[in-house]
Amino acid sequence: MKIHEYQAKELLRKAGAPVPRGQVVTDAQQARQAFLELGQSKAVLKTQIHAGGRGKGRFKGSNADFGGVKLVASPEEARQVAEVMFTYPLVTKQTGEQGQRVSKILVEEPSSLQREIYVGLVIDRAVGLPVLMVSAEGGMDIEEVAARNPAAILRTNIDPDRGLLPFQARRLGYDLALQPEQVEQFETILSALVRVFLDYDASLAEINPLVVTAEGKVLALDAKMNFDDNALFRHPEIEALRDLAEENPAEVRAAKAGLSYVSMNGNIGCLVNGAGLAMSTMDIIKLHGGEPANFLDVGGGANKEQVTEAFRILLGDERVKAVLVNIFGGIMKCDIIAGAILAAFQEVQPKVPFVVRLEGTNVEIGRKMLAESGLKIITATDLTDAAKKVVAAAAG
């Protein structure tokens, strides 16, 4: 689960990290008022969407010469800029060409930047521990820095039981050539970031950039956090931060039905039971020249209602030109699965080709049920056969 920048900053502030003063607004007139309340000669307007690259983005359909982050010098300019931000979709590298509508803007006091530093915390699955990463080359395009010069990113593993130890933070601070008084501030911010990450079961926590101002202060200027969906039951205060308007509606709908669904960019819908089988299915579709439109795992105990809802979600995607149903009957027998597929098929009545591959317990019974149904279902004997048939069906 992702949260907005202003929400991540509030978590950091509560944990003791200094962040710039700001106010979230939902219309252009509020942006004007927020500028006045800051009491500064300038302010920064920052769009709040769940996508990176806002500063280099553009507003689709607008002639504006600025992206999703803009420095303004008057209340009226704040209102005018906010009007554009709320009116046009913001297009970045991560939104796709369709862009993302902006419903919130953070109006924040400006900072005089002397240095920009990257700070990030993720799980290093190779060692089974969180890894804290910092780089002197902070700011935009940190991904390019990692690819171009991996040595520019310094790392230290974090013990989940003890958290960040003071010497670890100080060592990173001095490695970044911070001044002694800045190292102390740096340690405070890193400790807050690690505390939030561990206390709330985050999967990603970034401050990019962490800045050193001209006055020598160290601030968390931007923040990004993702949280483990499977741990949200422990943190209702984090789940309350969820912004469903920023999420794919099909993914939200699937989650309510107990389905695991991730939208992709292809034209072949996939309905599979089991995450590993779903990954293999997508791989073999690509191997034979197709492009999967989604990852959809109905699980080992799928019933008619779940299969029907899965069909509706798949067919609700206008890009889908064919559907592959790939089921291994282990926990749920193939004849039971076939019955659910037939019932769902008759209820939904899809207009695109359906390829079904069954394997496992009672597979012969299940295949016979499909063959004798009289419905326009293309059956396949194995995964390769299924992939070839669905790619051909999607192509025409």
Side-chain angles (χ1 to χ4, degrees), residues 106 139 172 187 223 252 255 257 263 302 330:
L106 175 61
L172 291 172
E187 179 184 341
V252 174
S263 179

Side-chain angles (χ1 to χ4, degrees), residues 123-129 203:
I123 300 295
D124 184 344
R125 302 196 181 279
V127 297
L129 291 171
S203 56

Side-chain angles (χ1 to χ4, degrees), residues 74-349:
S74 71
E76 184 57 26
E77 186 182 5
R79 187 195 65 77
Q80 293 172 352
V81 169
E83 192 72 51
V84 172
M85 290 179 167
F86 283 125
T87 302
Y88 300 96
L90 177 61
V91 178
T92 76
K93 288 181 179 179
Q94 296 183 11
T95 65
E97 188 55 35
Q98 77 282 358
Q100 177 67 42
R101 287 285 178 182
V102 176
S103 60
K104 296 182 180 73
I105 295 172
L106 175 61
V107 182
E108 191 172 77
E109 64 181 356
S111 300
S112 53
L113 310 186
Q114 188 178 70
R115 288 189 64 184
E116 296 187 18
I117 296 169
Y118 169 82
V119 178
L121 192 60
V122 295
I123 300 295
D124 184 344
R125 302 196 181 279
V127 297
L129 291 171
V131 57
L132 178 63
M133 301 172 290
V134 303
S135 175
E137 299 185 44
M140 292 185 287
D141 302 325
I142 187 63
E143 294 84 0
E144 283 77 0
V145 173
R148 182 183 73 251
N149 184 17
I153 298 180
L154 309 176
R155 297 171 172 84
T156 186
N157 290 328
I158 305 298
D159 185 323
D161 293 324
R162 295 188 293 174
L164 178 70
L165 299 177
F167 84 88
Q168 293 177 301
R170 290 196 298 270
R171 182 176 62 195
L172 291 172
Y174 285 118
D175 285 345
L176 291 170
L178 293 173
Q179 299 300 314
E181 63 275 10
Q182 295 168 355
V183 170
E184 184 175 346
Q185 299 176 60
F186 183 69
E187 179 184 341
T188 298
I189 295 177
L190 261 57
S191 296
L193 184 70
V194 172
R195 192 175 308 119
V196 170
F197 185 92
L198 296 176
D199 287 352
Y200 295 112
D201 293 298
S203 56
L204 167 72
E206 286 185 340
I207 300 173
N208 187 33
L210 179 148
V211 299
V212 179
T213 69
E215 298 78 26
K217 294 183 179 180
V218 184
L219 294 174
L221 195 63
D222 197 354
K224 176 181 179 180
M225 293 183 188
N226 298 348
F227 297 88
D228 183 353
D229 290 348
N230 295 316
L232 290 178
F233 72 94
R234 290 200 291 260
H235 309 293
E237 69 276 32
I238 297 298
E239 188 169 19
L241 302 178
R242 189 167 207 158
D243 186 349
L244 295 179
E246 288 287 321
E247 299 184 23
N248 185 304
E251 294 179 8
V252 174
R253 180 177 176 181
K256 290 180 179 178
L259 307 171
S260 297
Y261 176 90
V262 179
S263 179
M264 301 176 73
N265 297 322
N267 64 354
I268 296 175
C270 303
L271 189 156
V272 188
N273 66 331
L277 185 59
M279 298 295 289
S280 299
T281 301
M282 293 190 294
D283 285 346
I284 201 164
I285 286 173
K286 290 184 69 69
L287 179 66
H288 291 285
E291 288 291 337
N294 65 273
F295 169 103
L296 198 161
D297 174 15
V298 297
N303 54 35
K304 178 207 165 186
E305 288 72 24
Q306 286 179 305
V307 174
T308 301
E309 182 66 359
F311 281 4
R312 293 188 186 282
I313 291 170
L314 291 178
L315 299 173
D317 186 345
E318 296 180 352
R319 301 169 304 169
V320 170
K321 303 303 180 185
V323 172
L324 172 55
V325 180
N326 185 20
I327 300 293
F328 180 81
I331 299 173
M332 183 68 74
K333 297 179 176 62
C334 286
D335 54 331
I336 304 298
I337 289 291
I341 291 172
L342 293 175
F345 193 94
Q346 289 173 318
E347 184 172 334
V348 177
Q349 297 184 354

Side-chain angles (χ1 to χ4, degrees), residues 32 310 318 329 391:
R32 183 182 188 281
E318 296 180 352
V391 170

